[in-house]
Amino acid sequence: MLDEIGIAPSILSADLMDLGHEVKTVAGARYIHFDVMDGSFVPEISYGHPVLRALKKTTDIPVDVHLMISNPDEEVASYLEAGADMVSFHVECAKHAQRIVDEIHAAGKLAGIALNPGTSAYALDALLPTVDMVLVMSVNPGFGGQKFIPETPEKIRTILRLAEAHGAHPLIEVDGGISKETAGLVASAGARLLVAGSAVFKAEDRHKAMAEIAQAAQAGLGRKA
């Protein structure tokens, strides 16, 4: 696994009335994190594929679409058509998870599988050989600004052990409560892509905020367990 940290600012914390400008303030990010919430799987409603199409016209940064929706089997195609570069969906909601992974790959995009804090890492076991990324929620999904769940690093380690047993090497992404205070914890456990919303978009200097999170994560690599 490459010891390289990527930051994915979440536009859930950005000013959507000026999204084009907001995305420019995080130039250099590995991905833009795009949270889709349906008011069913999670309590809030965010935005959908029309906003994704508009976003893709404003930036060359790849877009990481996180489907927090109850029907990913039916909706994944519309987000692929709208320009998603990587799509993750929740194992808790998928009727035919492997079919969704295959559909994403057939579109030439990266496939991720997400799981909530209360879902066992073992729920991913059969999918690990085929996904490109695992998105570990370190808060309960649905809204920004929540506190990091401290059991997250151990879950990451469990996922990596399961993946190793399959000879698989998915990228581990973490979403929820990520800041310069928590970045080292998840990086030391094996995460390499960190979603940060409030910690980036609420900062006066977004580039400095991203750099500080990345530096804290990089420091955590020296504490790998």
Side-chain angles (χ1 to χ4, degrees):
M1 180 184 299
L2 294 175
D3 285 345
E4 183 180 349
I5 301 297
I7 305 298
S10 171
I11 62 167
L12 194 62
S13 298
D15 180 0
L16 295 181
M17 294 296 291
D18 196 10
L19 188 55
H21 170 73
E22 291 283 82
V23 170
K24 291 177 182 177
T25 68
V26 294
R30 179 74 59 79
Y31 284 94
I32 296 298
H33 193 75
F34 189 94
D35 284 311
V36 180
M37 303 189 296
D38 64 356
S40 175
F41 177 59
V42 292
E44 299 292 331
I45 296 174
S46 58
Y47 31 69
H49 38 84
V51 175
L52 176 58
R53 288 193 188 92
L55 174 64
K56 290 291 291 185
K57 295 177 182 178
T58 69
T59 183
D60 293 327
I61 302 172
V63 180
D64 162 30
V65 173
H66 177 195
L67 298 179
M68 290 184 279
I69 61 177
S70 59
N71 59 339
D73 298 73
E74 290 79 17
E75 291 293 326
V76 66
S78 62
Y79 289 93
L80 292 168
E81 292 166 4
D85 298 285
M86 178 161 64
V87 181
S88 57
F89 61 94
H90 276 262
V91 68
E92 299 91 352
C93 299
K95 297 172 185 172
H96 303 287
Q98 188 61 61
R99 185 178 297 166
I100 298 175
V101 171
D102 292 343
E103 184 174 358
I104 296 169
H105 284 158
K109 307 302 181 180
L110 298 176
I113 188 76
L115 74 167
N116 285 343
T119 302
S120 170
Y122 292 92
L124 304 181
D125 188 53
L127 292 167
L128 288 172
T130 59
V131 297
D132 304 292
M133 184 268 286
V134 174
L135 172 53
V136 179
M137 293 301 300
S138 43
V139 300
N140 287 294
F143 53 93
Q146 299 183 66
K147 291 184 178 180
F148 177 83
I149 293 174
E151 291 78 14
T152 303
E154 186 53 40
K155 177 178 271 191
I156 294 170
R157 294 185 184 99
T158 300
I159 291 168
L160 288 175
R161 287 195 294 269
L162 291 171
E164 184 178 1
H166 287 289
H169 304 281
L171 175 68
I172 303 296
E173 180 178 28
V174 181
D175 183 2
I178 296 299
S179 66
K180 60 184 179 181
E181 287 74 32
T182 58
L185 297 174
V186 295
S188 66
R192 295 295 178 268
L193 183 60
L194 310 185
V195 177
S198 301
V200 171
F201 283 108
K202 302 306 180 187
E204 185 173 342
D205 186 334
R206 276 92 183 262
H207 285 104
K208 180 180 179 182
M210 290 194 298
E212 289 178 344
I213 294 169
Q215 288 165 8
Q218 201 69 41
L221 296 182
R223 304 192 299 271
K224 286 189 292 185

